[in-house]
Amino acid sequence: MLLEAITILEINMDITIFPDGRLSAKDAATYVGLSYRTLSNHRVRGTGPRFVKRGVIFYYKADLEAWLSSGKSRSTAEARQKASSYLSDSP
């Protein structure tokens, strides 16, 4: 049931995932639920998921999922601390 929900979600996002798992920057932003500009800002600051630049920017689905998982918190206090740490490290 959960796998079906994930599959349906991916279809409804209207994104393209290449056979090797790559997504364009626009599709990657949609996949992680951010605007293109926000994902670009994360890339510039070095706080976003790993990416590949070969003339254009690509993200691998596995890297996007790892980045999303790295932001998990067990409590709102932990989430607040991560956010505070992130904001203090931003230029």
Side-chain angles (χ1 to χ4, degrees):
M1 179 73 165
L2 179 61
L3 182 58
E4 291 173 12
I6 292 170
T7 302
I8 291 169
L9 180 63
E10 287 180 358
I11 292 169
N12 290 336
M13 282 195 280
D14 194 28
I15 61 174
T16 301
I17 301 175
F18 292 95
D20 63 355
R22 284 178 299 137
L23 292 86
S24 69
K26 180 180 176 231
D27 287 340
T30 301
Y31 186 81
V32 298
L34 298 174
S35 71
Y36 173 81
R37 183 177 218 146
T38 299
L39 184 60
S40 295
N41 286 337
H42 278 293
R43 186 172 59 245
V44 168
R45 291 185 184 131
T47 58
R50 295 173 53 182
F51 65 94
V52 176
K53 184 172 182 181
R54 298 284 187 254
V56 295
I57 302 291
F58 287 105
Y59 291 86
Y60 282 93
K61 183 179 173 189
D63 291 330
L64 296 173
E65 291 172 354
W67 181 70
L68 288 172
S69 292
S70 72
K72 289 181 181 177
S73 299
R74 295 187 186 275
S75 68
T76 53
E78 184 182 342
R80 236 187 329 266
Q81 182 182 9
K82 286 180 182 179
S84 176
S85 173
Y86 168 75
L87 291 174
S88 66
D89 291 341
S90 296

